[in-house]
Amino acid sequence: MKKIWLIWNNRTRLSMNKIVYAGDPSNQNKTKFWSFALAAALIAVVVVLLVNSFSHVLLEWIHNHLSGLTEQDKVKWISTLNLVILLSWIATGIYDQLYRFLLAEDMKLLVLAPISLKQLFIGKILERTYIKSIFFIAVLAVFSYQLSVWLEFGLVKGFVLFAALVSQFVFAAFIRFMFISTMVIRKVLKKPLLPFALLFLCTNAMGAILILYVIQPFVSGMRGFFFYPYYLSIYESTFVQSIADFVSYSYFPHSMMAGSFPFSYVYALITFPVLVLILYWLSGKQLDRLDDRQILGKMHELQSLRKGFPQEQKPIPGMNLLETIPYLHPYVKSILKKDLLAFSRDEKYRWKAAFLMMSFGLAVIISAYYFFESKVDALSAQAAPVFLSISVLMMLMNSVINKFSIDSEGMGFRNLVVLPVNSKQIAMAKIIGLHCVLLPFSLIYIAAAFLLIKPNFFALSIGLLSAMPVIVLIGLIATATFPNFSDDSLLNLPSTRAKVMISLLSGCYLFTDGLLFYFTGSFFVSMGIFIVMNVILTVFLFKKFCQKIEGITFTNFESLSELFD
């Protein structure tokens, strides 16, 4: 346990030093530390008060919307919601955590230290999670208090409720731990992770279907909105209702949380710890069958490729075509070639898994539209493919922006800005690079949509291609506004504030597009305005991006979630 604590303590100190002292180990300013501690304590108090107030409002809002349901439907709804939360705890960000483990800065030292494989897994997998878990359990305690007050529970009943919720969280965390440890072993032994990728795809698909069921009480008052016919046709399908019936089966542990007190909560409080003990015994058996030294030795070999490209640099097909592109400045070609080579050769940041997820998203969106296309009006049927294609592009952009943003080059970006290269040339290289990655998937989407759902091919193609520069520039401007040049791992990019800015700008863009198609009344008029708007936004955002590059000061906006990622 001491070795595990040393790993946790080291990570916490490194993160705190990065946040409080900006990564300067010589800075021993106690005033700065205590100021940060006081600010953190005040923020924690404010967060607790906000969670307390928000929980009360949320419970009242949910109660008002569920009042029209029967008792059986309420139990079914709560069971489904509980399973959605459980699946999100297990699967969200699991690939990020896997690669953070494999690419940890101190991994090369740890695999040579006198430490067992089990201690290494517990220490490194949970080194960030334990702080996040403490924070989450504190929030869960406040929520449990409000829920107990709402249900008029006494002290004992409220404590049992809180303990049942915590036991479910621990169960999810342990399943997540088993997944990551097994994936690490398969990765270092060079075994494929495809079974896990398919499993998580199915998990995400299940979660998406269940969310469609959970939100029904809240969207029933939005019958006048253009998306409601789409939603209703899916919600009322036999497929969705059958899945909701199955997952809310009364003897599943997560479903018992929706039952009557005290039997249901005591049942969950006993079942989840028993399942954790069984999983712990199974994971111990799995690790006992492995040779610790062999696995640690393989991990040491993997660390030798951690910096830079893999040793075997295979030629990338099509790179010579860049030299033949007319009207493109040689400097732009050089920067573009550098970015595309880095993107193609660098296999350590799970591009294959990301693109697999995006391909699955394309399939889900096309299948969903194919299902309800015949049940909506003509205008909605024409506008939906364009609107959905923009959403797909935004997901793709979010998955690769950290490879083409200006801070992805680290402090090496200084070398680029001192060269005789102007901001427009740098901006063009970054924009074209992202287009080279996004364009193939866009063409696949257009082709699949044309074959399956037969939309207006011209409108879909022109609309999607006109929106692509706007989406790309949203990501580039956000990362240039809040860059983080100090990170040597692309998994920490974009910075937290850049992610927030991307979400806000993308949300505003999608909302504006939705209003445009909803209020115009004519699909072709809407498309004309949409294309003109995209051209204007592209020119405006390009100028802003160039200004950001010219005014770069190499200020690092450290990730505010450094302790929790």
Side-chain angles (χ1 to χ4, degrees):
M1 187 63 191
K2 183 179 179 181
K3 295 178 181 179
I4 296 172
W5 169 248
L6 288 174
I7 295 174
W8 290 1
N9 190 43
N10 179 60
R11 168 50 57 189
T12 304
R13 286 176 175 271
L14 286 173
S15 301
M16 292 293 292
N17 179 61
K18 185 178 290 187
I19 294 174
V20 180
Y21 298 119
D24 183 7
S26 63
N27 195 331
Q28 300 295 327
N29 190 340
K30 296 295 184 181
T31 303
K32 193 171 185 179
F33 171 79
W34 288 112
S35 299
F36 172 79
L38 179 61
L42 291 174
I43 292 173
V45 172
V46 171
V47 168
V48 169
L49 294 176
L50 287 176
V51 170
N52 186 61
S53 302
F54 177 75
S55 299
H56 177 77
V57 174
L58 177 65
L59 290 171
E60 186 174 357
W61 182 66
I62 292 175
H63 178 265
N64 292 336
H65 282 84
L66 297 184
S67 58
L69 301 180
T70 64
E71 289 301 319
Q72 183 179 0
D73 287 338
K74 288 180 182 178
V75 170
K76 183 178 176 181
W77 185 89
I78 295 173
S79 300
T80 307
L81 174 64
N82 200 29
L83 182 59
V84 170
I85 295 172
L86 190 64
L87 292 176
S88 68
W89 285 344
I90 293 172
T92 303
I94 197 165
Y95 268 100
D96 277 349
Q97 195 169 357
L98 167 66
Y99 281 86
R100 287 183 189 278
F101 176 93
L102 292 172
L103 302 171
E105 299 172 0
D106 56 350
M107 184 60 70
K108 195 168 185 178
L109 295 175
L110 287 173
V111 296
L112 297 175
I115 188 172
S116 69
L117 189 61
K118 185 183 295 186
Q119 290 172 330
L120 178 63
F121 280 156
I122 296 174
K124 289 303 295 180
I125 293 176
L126 302 181
E127 67 177 356
R128 298 172 187 259
T129 307
Y130 86 98
I131 299 180
K132 184 177 181 179
S133 300
I134 292 172
F135 176 80
F136 182 80
I137 290 175
V139 173
L140 196 61
V142 178
F143 178 79
S144 300
Y145 167 75
Q146 282 293 340
L147 185 58
S148 299
V149 172
W150 184 267
L151 297 175
E152 298 182 350
F153 283 179
L155 179 62
V156 176
K157 290 183 178 181
F159 180 78
V160 172
L161 170 64
F162 171 67
L165 293 174
V166 171
S167 66
Q168 178 174 291
F169 173 73
V170 173
F171 170 72
F174 202 87
I175 291 181
R176 184 184 180 91
F177 172 82
M178 287 189 64
F179 276 139
I180 295 174
S181 59
T182 306
M183 292 165 71
V184 168
I185 293 170
R186 293 183 66 89
K187 187 72 174 178
V188 299
L189 295 177
K190 298 182 179 180
K191 295 182 179 180
L193 296 180
L194 182 60
F196 290 93
L198 295 176
L199 175 63
F200 295 133
L201 286 176
C202 294
T203 301
N204 290 333
M206 174 69 77
I209 293 171
L210 296 179
I211 288 175
L212 290 173
Y213 180 85
V214 168
I215 64 175
Q216 193 278 332
F218 310 102
V219 300
S220 57
M222 302 180 181
R223 301 179 186 276
F225 285 81
F226 72 95
F227 66 84
Y228 188 76
Y230 297 87
Y231 167 75
L232 190 62
S233 60
I234 297 178
Y235 172 79
E236 293 179 344
S237 66
T238 306
F239 178 69
V240 172
Q241 294 296 324
S242 299
I243 290 179
D245 289 336
F246 173 75
V247 300
S248 58
Y249 182 64
S250 59
Y251 288 101
F252 287 151
H254 71 273
S255 297
M256 291 300 297
M257 299 285 287
S260 59
F261 191 90
F263 173 75
S264 58
Y265 291 97
V266 173
Y267 175 82
L269 190 56
I270 295 173
T271 304
F272 282 119
V274 170
L275 291 174
V276 169
L277 291 175
I278 293 174
L279 293 174
Y280 178 79
W281 179 77
L282 292 175
S283 63
K285 286 289 185 181
Q286 178 191 19
L287 293 177
D288 290 340
R289 290 195 300 267
L290 297 172
D291 183 351
D292 284 15
R293 290 297 101 191
Q294 178 192 10
I295 301 298
L296 293 173
K298 294 286 186 181
M299 293 175 67
H300 183 264
E301 293 176 9
L302 187 66
Q303 291 302 306
S304 65
L305 303 178
R306 185 176 155 325
K307 298 287 185 181
F309 298 138
Q311 293 176 351
E312 184 182 0
Q313 296 188 10
K314 299 179 181 179
I316 308 301
M319 282 298 169
N320 293 331
L321 294 177
L322 290 177
E323 303 299 332
T324 64
I325 300 177
Y327 311 114
L328 200 60
H329 196 280
Y331 291 162
V332 177
K333 294 180 182 179
S334 299
I335 299 171
L336 178 59
K337 187 174 182 180
K338 171 187 68 66
D339 288 345
L340 291 177
L341 285 172
F343 178 82
S344 303
R345 288 173 173 166
D346 195 351
E347 298 180 354
K348 21 180 221 190
Y349 295 108
R350 70 176 180 85
W351 304 125
K352 293 179 181 178
F355 286 144
L356 180 63
M357 294 291 288
M358 294 303 104
S359 301
F360 180 77
L362 288 174
V364 169
I365 288 175
I366 291 174
S367 300
Y369 182 80
Y370 184 74
F371 171 76
F372 57 64
E373 183 266 341
S374 61
K375 303 181 181 181
V376 296
D377 60 87
L379 176 61
S380 299
Q382 288 179 307
V386 179
F387 190 76
L388 293 175
S389 65
I390 295 173
S391 303
V392 172
L393 269 181
M394 287 181 173
M395 290 190 294
L396 281 168
M397 183 272 291
N398 279 316
S399 69
V400 297
I401 186 63
N402 58 345
K403 194 58 181 176
F404 291 91
S405 59
I406 61 173
D407 53 354
S408 65
E409 304 186 33
M411 296 308 293
F413 191 69
R414 289 180 182 272
N415 301 327
L416 188 59
V417 296
V418 298
L419 293 174
V421 183
N422 60 45
S423 60
K424 292 183 179 180
Q425 292 165 346
I426 298 174
M428 283 297 299
K430 298 295 182 181
I431 293 169
I432 295 173
L434 270 169
H435 275 75
C436 289
V437 176
L438 298 181
L439 189 59
F441 281 87
S442 301
L443 295 177
I444 292 172
Y445 176 84
I446 292 172
F450 181 71
L451 292 174
L452 293 175
I453 60 181
K454 296 180 174 56
N456 187 309
F457 182 76
F458 176 78
L460 176 61
S461 303
I462 299 300
L464 184 58
L465 295 177
S466 68
M468 192 181 301
V470 178
I471 295 169
V472 165
L473 283 165
I474 284 175
L476 290 174
I477 286 178
T479 54
T481 304
F482 299 107
N484 189 4
F485 295 97
S486 65
D487 277 312
D488 63 350
S489 173
L490 299 184
L491 293 172
N492 292 327
L493 298 177
S495 66
T496 302
R497 278 164 276 198
K499 291 179 182 177
V500 172
M501 185 174 178
I502 290 174
S503 300
L504 290 175
L505 292 178
S506 299
C508 291
Y509 181 66
L510 278 174
F511 182 72
T512 304
D513 295 341
L515 291 179
L516 175 64
F517 283 101
Y518 179 69
F519 286 109
T520 306
S522 170
F523 174 70
F524 291 103
V525 172
S526 300
M527 283 301 304
I529 298 174
F530 176 69
I531 293 170
V532 172
M533 181 185 73
N534 284 333
V535 172
I536 295 173
L537 283 175
T538 299
V539 174
F540 173 75
L541 293 176
F542 180 78
K543 291 182 178 180
K544 293 298 293 184
F545 184 42
C546 292
Q547 292 174 5
K548 292 291 182 183
I549 296 175
E550 292 171 358
I552 199 72
T553 59
F554 291 93
T555 302
N556 292 322
F557 292 87
E558 300 287 355
S559 176
L560 300 179
S561 58
E562 177 68 26
L563 290 171
F564 308 121
D565 290 338

